[in-house]
Amino acid sequence: MPDTPPPDLRTIAITNTPSPSLERCELTHLERVSIDYTVALRQHEGYQEMLRACGAEVCALEVNRDHPDGVFIEDTAIVLDEVATLMSMGTASRRAEPVGIEPELRKYRPIERVKLPATIEGGDVVRIARTLLVGRSSRTNAAGIAALAAIAEPYGYRIVPVPVTGCLHLKSACTALPDGRLLVNPAWLDHRAIADFEAVTIPSDEPTAADVALVNDYVCMASEHPRTARLVESLGFSVRTTPLSEFAKAEGAVTCLSLIFRAST
């Protein structure tokens, strides 16, 4: 069975309510299609229930409800063990979102900031122990990677830039499994940048399935990726799934919808 947090730590998952204007979200690689807001709300509730079933304490915010992309709260910050860093969003329409979540993050971590002209979004950062893989994408530039390095390296983190193509963020192409292996869609990133890591390739007919979230060693996934779920289970991990079809239309996935970290009791 998955490990549980030590008694003096708890797992926090911060979410933000979907906006009624979700259909006006920013899109980079997908064509705009209709999003059923009622279904999106139901799926978001199911997502939060999945997090709770994995042992997380869910904090449901509504601070960015007026922002079309506000539900994708992961992009607004990077929460490390020692510090939370507010992002400098790569698209102008989202730059008011980080300030909305700052009061909640201040309850758990001191705050740092990345400032323009540096741009970086949380969906481009994959953590494996003390290594941070950082996607060089349409939303994260070289200055953003350097700014994060200036904040994180003094705490002992190693920064590894990873060129991303064909998808919005690095986490669309690559996330970490509980044992440190990477779940990867190799078509969407420069695999030379992750050559030091053992990679597990997702089925080619589920190209967006590499985005998974870890909650107390459970692997959380969208239920629209059954072949990848079976693959991850075959590696010995406990998998939880929930429908996320409406958020996929907005280039969102399971990691995008929360900020997950450990906190003292």
Side-chain angles (χ1 to χ4, degrees):
M1 293 295 293
D3 295 334
T4 56
D8 59 339
L9 292 178
R10 53 201 173 110
T11 299
I12 305 296
I14 303 177
T15 66
N16 198 88
T17 299
S19 171
S21 58
L22 175 63
E23 201 167 66
R24 300 203 308 270
C25 64
E26 294 285 342
L27 290 175
T28 303
H29 294 280
L30 296 181
E31 296 293 328
R32 195 171 300 277
V33 297
S34 178
I35 295 174
D36 189 318
Y37 181 61
T38 300
V39 175
L41 286 175
R42 185 164 65 246
Q43 290 184 347
H44 195 254
E45 285 294 329
Y47 175 81
Q48 293 178 107
E49 286 304 313
M50 177 181 68
L51 297 179
R52 293 186 184 100
C54 294
E57 298 179 24
V58 175
C59 171
L61 303 180
E62 295 191 2
V63 292
N64 287 324
R65 191 173 182 273
D66 293 335
H67 296 277
D69 288 284
V71 69
F72 303 123
I73 191 172
E74 175 197 43
D75 292 327
T76 62
I78 302 296
V79 185
L80 302 176
D81 297 342
E82 304 84 1
V83 65
T85 301
L86 296 178
M87 298 290 93
S88 175
M89 309 294 276
T91 182
S93 67
R94 301 196 64 189
R95 288 181 183 148
E97 293 176 34
V99 67
I101 69 162
E102 180 177 353
E104 188 63 29
L105 287 179
R106 281 194 176 278
K107 297 176 183 179
Y108 305 101
R109 301 286 195 275
I111 299 293
E112 297 279 359
R113 290 178 174 80
V114 175
K115 299 179 181 179
L116 292 172
T119 64
I120 185 169
E121 295 187 355
D124 273 319
V125 182
V126 174
R127 179 180 175 182
I128 309 100
R130 307 299 285 186
T131 295
L132 302 178
L133 305 180
V134 187
R136 177 70 170 87
S137 71
S138 63
R139 301 291 181 87
T140 296
N141 61 23
I145 296 173
L148 180 62
I151 293 167
E153 285 178 347
Y155 293 105
Y157 292 90
R158 178 173 69 111
I159 307 298
V160 178
V162 182
V164 174
T165 58
C167 61
L168 180 59
H169 290 126
L170 177 60
K171 282 183 176 173
S172 304
C174 169
T175 54
L177 293 168
D179 61 0
R181 282 183 284 182
L182 300 178
L183 192 64
V184 174
N185 177 344
W188 286 352
L189 52 71
D190 186 340
H191 62 87
R192 294 171 296 181
I194 60 169
D196 290 342
F197 297 89
E198 184 179 349
V200 177
T201 300
I202 61 171
S204 60
D205 60 348
E206 295 181 353
T208 60
D211 188 305
V212 301
L214 304 185
V215 185
N216 297 334
D217 288 338
Y218 286 95
V219 179
C220 295
M221 306 177 60
S223 61
E224 290 79 14
H225 305 138
R227 291 189 62 198
T228 304
R230 290 193 295 271
L231 170 63
V232 173
E233 287 177 330
S234 76
L235 299 175
F237 303 120
S238 295
V239 173
R240 299 267 187 173
T241 66
T242 194
L244 294 175
S245 60
E246 299 311 295
F247 300 104
K249 297 174 184 177
E251 294 184 322
V254 68
T255 62
C256 308
L257 298 171
S258 59
L259 286 165
I260 301 171
F261 54 91
R262 297 283 180 88
S264 301
T265 55

